[in-house]
Amino acid sequence: MYRRLFLCIIWVLSSVCAHAQIIPQSQEIVYSEGNFIVNNETEVVYLSARMQKQAEELAGYLGSYLEAKVKISTKYTGRNQIVLKESNKLGGEEYLVTVGREIVSCEATTPAGMFYAIQTLIQFFNNASEGPGLKLMTIKDSPRYAWRGLMLDESRHFFGKEIVKQLLDIMAYLKMNRFHWHLTDEPGWRIEIKKYPKLTEIGATGNWHDRNAPRKFYTQDEIREIVAYAAERHIQVIPEIDMPGHASAATRAYPELSAGGTGRWEGFTFHPAKETTYRFIDDVMTEIAGLFPSPYVHIGGDEVHFGNKIWYTDPEIQQFIKNNHLGNEIGLEHYFVRRACDIVNSKGKIMIGWDEIIASGVTPDKAVVMWWRHDKPDQLAAALEKGFKVIMTPRIPCYFDFVQDESHKIGRRWSTKFNTLQTIYAFPDNISSVIANYPDRILGIQASIWTERVADVKRLYFMLFPRLAGISEDAWTNPESKDYSRFEMKLRQFLRYLDQKGMNYFNPFDPESTPEPWGPDKADVIAEG
Ligand code: ACM
């Protein structure tokens, strides 16, 4: 009797664990009794040439997993094979996986869908606790949102291509597909532009903590290398060239493009009344459009009022406002954004801007809005009502420069609020009253990390992990398939995976085991904002 009860408990626990295996959670998964055992004889088979690359990826992974060479074939034998089949019935990122005793079948219509089928298998293998195999199961899966993003600010601190590649690997593992790269801001300009060499000869010197830190930037060859690396993982790279504010690194290099200003805000904005500014932007966008195949370019557009005081007194700027009937300085800001949008569009790209662009007069056919001001849900509502497509990265809960635990001292808080795993996991369903009427206008969700207080990789990963896993599930998994306690169980496996990769993280189950890495400066401790 006790033995029966014991076995029953074990069975329940193992089936709970079996249901708790991958992040992000797949939409539908049905288990049945039995296993597919993978061994040295297992073959990876692809039945259409389009799926060859995915077959090679899976065979490569299995080879290192089994420490044996795994054969790739194009012949179906019906025995001990993992078979990749092209289907014409599934959506772009959708896939089906059926695990039988002899055959694991993966179906997708596109290489992206097959890539996700394979990421799913890889996670199951990584997490298997009872030897190299898979439980018998059927998975039907596709993402909730098309945009599943991460933004990295490399202007405040520069991390370099090996770290970016490691992040792209983890993003792929979590089925995330948009890397938003904040490449220009006040401390540094981080991308080579051939026509304006001083942008990196002068503008790439310095970082948030040290104005004289050695130059750091990506050459165009490195950009191409990273874009190609991302594309192999079905990740689009979207560059951000911030304007008209946050332009100090560019105006240090080319003072003739600066609107002026003094002290902290010297050179914060491009000169909005000079044609040479717009010619510069046009030239930069020509090179940017050639480097990044993404249909989008992000032009920032945020926080112009922080550092545009000079606009209110400069005679040339005031005359420009009058001549062009712009009304006032906000009218001028909007004019600038419209010009930037026209330039981006002229290169065949759609503009993305932070939510300040909503009132600028750009239209939903030309621009996409990135909502960041969590304290202004009316901005999100207004963007949706006007017909804009919106990417959501509100400070609470999507900014990962906010602290994640009450005990943490370095990083932002918003009054008493900060970004725990629970707050992240509740998103976006905690704002469904704002978004429910326009489900098709929400492109997706993004984690964003600003790096004023993130100066090295140890701290970068501490801030990103495991929170990025929460964002990935928010962005992929429909609300009815989400479950926080199951997510927590899966996180333990994810932390083990990060351990294997030697990557740092915060351990929410044992905070003392992962003390907060100190920033480079005691002034890093900030309370809010
Ligand atoms: C922003 O956080 N300034 C977009």
Side-chain angles (χ1 to χ4, degrees):
M1 164 72 194
Y2 284 121
R3 198 179 122 77
R4 264 243 204 92
L5 187 63
F6 177 73
L7 287 176
C8 194
I9 290 169
I10 294 289
W11 182 81
V12 168
L13 280 179
S14 66
S15 60
V16 168
C17 291
H19 284 73
Q21 288 197 340
I22 61 168
I23 299 177
Q25 184 66 31
S26 41
Q27 309 296 6
E28 284 177 37
I29 180 160
V30 178
Y31 293 93
S32 48
E33 266 320 293
N35 292 288
F36 173 86
I37 306 296
V38 64
N39 57 31
N40 293 355
E41 308 291 306
T42 305
E43 286 181 345
V44 176
V45 178
Y46 62 96
L47 300 180
S48 97
R50 276 176 89 210
M51 302 305 176
Q52 179 174 356
K53 246 175 102 179
Q54 326 302 341
E56 284 165 0
E57 186 196 345
L58 181 59
Y61 167 81
L62 281 177
S64 53
Y65 179 73
L66 297 167
E67 296 176 1
K69 190 153 171 48
V70 169
K71 221 175 117 196
I72 301 182
S73 153
T74 52
K75 284 205 187 64
Y76 181 82
T77 63
R79 291 217 50 224
N80 198 4
Q81 289 184 320
I82 303 179
V83 181
L84 278 47
K85 296 181 195 162
E86 190 169 336
S87 149
N88 57 9
K89 295 193 290 282
L90 302 175
E93 295 185 302
E94 189 174 4
Y95 69 90
L96 299 176
V97 168
T98 310
V99 180
R101 281 179 212 280
E102 288 294 343
I103 293 291
V104 176
S105 147
C106 303
E107 283 180 62
T109 295
T110 67
M114 191 58 79
F115 182 77
Y116 293 133
I118 285 166
Q119 298 314 306
T120 288
L121 291 185
I122 288 175
Q123 272 206 39
F124 272 108
F125 283 125
N126 278 351
N127 295 338
S129 52
E130 300 146 17
L134 298 169
K135 289 201 181 302
L136 300 193
M137 62 189 159
T138 307
I139 302 175
K140 187 171 180 341
D141 204 11
S142 61
R144 179 180 188 181
Y145 290 119
W147 187 291
R148 305 179 298 279
L150 168 65
M151 186 211 80
L152 176 66
D153 166 16
E154 286 210 84
S155 176
R156 271 51 178 240
H157 286 104
F158 185 87
F159 300 95
K161 74 177 180 184
E162 294 315 319
I163 290 169
V164 167
K165 285 182 177 176
Q166 205 168 29
L167 288 177
L168 293 167
D169 288 344
I170 296 282
M171 286 176 68
Y173 191 72
L174 295 171
K175 302 190 175 81
M176 300 181 75
N177 65 352
R178 299 286 183 266
F179 180 60
H180 167 185
W181 211 356
H182 189 80
L183 286 165
T184 73
D185 211 301
E186 298 162 68
W189 180 286
R190 307 298 184 200
I191 177 167
E192 177 188 28
I193 300 294
K194 303 262 190 212
K195 192 157 183 179
Y196 297 93
K198 285 194 275 184
L199 285 171
T200 43
E201 282 164 13
I202 295 171
T205 298
N207 63 36
W208 178 261
H209 279 94
D210 176 4
R211 288 183 68 118
N212 300 313
R215 286 192 309 151
K216 297 277 184 197
F217 66 95
Y218 293 100
T219 64
Q220 293 201 351
D221 281 344
E222 287 170 325
I223 295 279
R224 277 187 281 268
E225 179 185 331
I226 290 167
V227 166
Y229 190 90
E232 282 172 12
R233 288 154 183 76
H234 298 274
I235 297 171
Q236 229 179 66
V237 183
I238 300 93
E240 180 182 352
I241 308 295
D242 209 343
M243 63 185 79
H246 292 285
S248 324
T251 62
R252 253 196 332 274
Y254 292 96
E256 61 274 27
L257 298 175
S258 168
T262 52
R264 163 82 178 81
W265 303 110
E266 184 186 348
F268 182 73
T269 77
F270 286 114
H271 199 297
K274 279 187 179 165
E275 255 336 280
T276 47
T277 297
Y278 298 104
R279 267 204 299 281
F280 166 83
I281 294 168
D282 194 295
D283 291 337
V284 169
M285 288 302 168
T286 301
E287 294 191 31
I288 292 287
L291 287 168
F292 294 92
S294 164
Y296 303 105
V297 173
H298 199 310
I299 62 92
D302 55 324
E303 298 177 328
V304 181
H305 66 282
F306 275 17
N308 72 344
K309 250 204 181 105
I310 189 75
W311 291 13
Y312 291 75
T313 52
D314 181 272
E316 192 183 347
I317 293 177
Q318 287 299 313
Q319 195 58 46
F320 189 84
I321 291 174
K322 280 206 190 77
N323 293 351
N324 290 280
H325 312 290
L326 300 174
N328 56 26
E329 293 71 18
I330 292 179
L332 175 58
E333 178 184 329
H334 291 165
Y335 168 88
F336 189 106
V337 170
R338 290 196 300 277
R339 292 281 308 260
C341 188
D342 287 344
I343 292 169
V344 168
N345 292 165
S346 77
K347 311 298 172 199
K349 305 287 187 184
I350 295 168
M351 184 187 89
I352 300 178
W354 297 107
D355 62 49
E356 285 91 333
I357 69 158
I358 294 167
S360 68
V362 298
T363 49
D365 53 324
K366 296 180 172 160
V368 165
V369 170
M370 196 168 261
W371 176 58
W372 68 281
R373 290 180 289 182
H374 72 285
D375 53 328
K376 294 188 194 305
D378 49 314
Q379 286 290 107
L380 170 60
L384 294 172
E385 270 157 34
K386 281 179 183 232
F388 283 105
K389 291 255 173 25
V390 177
I391 299 147
M392 303 191 293
T393 184
R395 280 176 295 222
I396 304 287
C398 295
Y399 274 20
F400 285 6
D401 49 331
F402 279 65
V403 299
Q404 58 195 310
D405 187 79
E406 185 62 64
S407 67
H408 291 167
K409 299 206 162 37
I410 305 163
R412 297 165 75 183
R413 291 170 193 248
W414 193 268
S415 182
T416 56
K417 292 198 180 120
F418 52 90
N419 295 334
T420 62
L421 272 170
Q422 286 93 331
T423 56
I424 290 164
Y425 204 76
F427 188 74
D429 307 300
N430 57 342
I431 58 159
S432 45
S433 61
V434 188
I435 62 177
N437 288 338
Y438 302 102
D440 297 339
R441 292 186 189 160
I442 303 291
L443 271 187
I445 294 174
Q446 177 173 295
S448 298
I449 183 151
W450 304 100
T451 58
E452 285 90 338
R453 287 156 198 90
V454 183
D456 63 19
V457 64
K458 191 167 176 210
R459 190 165 162 75
L460 178 67
Y461 290 172
F462 181 83
M463 299 306 272
L464 286 176
F465 303 120
R467 291 190 288 186
L468 196 64
I471 289 286
S472 82
E473 196 149 309
D474 292 344
W476 181 279
T477 308
N478 291 335
E480 54 280 11
S481 299
K482 284 171 77 182
D483 176 331
Y484 188 72
S485 47
R486 182 175 56 191
F487 176 71
E488 276 196 317
M489 284 199 287
K490 295 184 296 184
L491 266 189
R492 291 179 190 271
Q493 293 166 321
F494 183 61
L495 297 188
R496 276 204 293 280
Y497 176 72
L498 294 174
D499 280 333
Q500 282 159 17
K501 299 212 140 225
M503 295 172 76
N504 197 32
Y505 54 81
F506 169 63
N507 185 343
F509 307 110
D510 183 10
E512 282 171 20
S513 69
T514 51
E516 186 181 22
W518 198 247
D521 185 340
K522 298 241 165 178
D524 288 337
V525 178
I526 55 164
E528 65 184 69

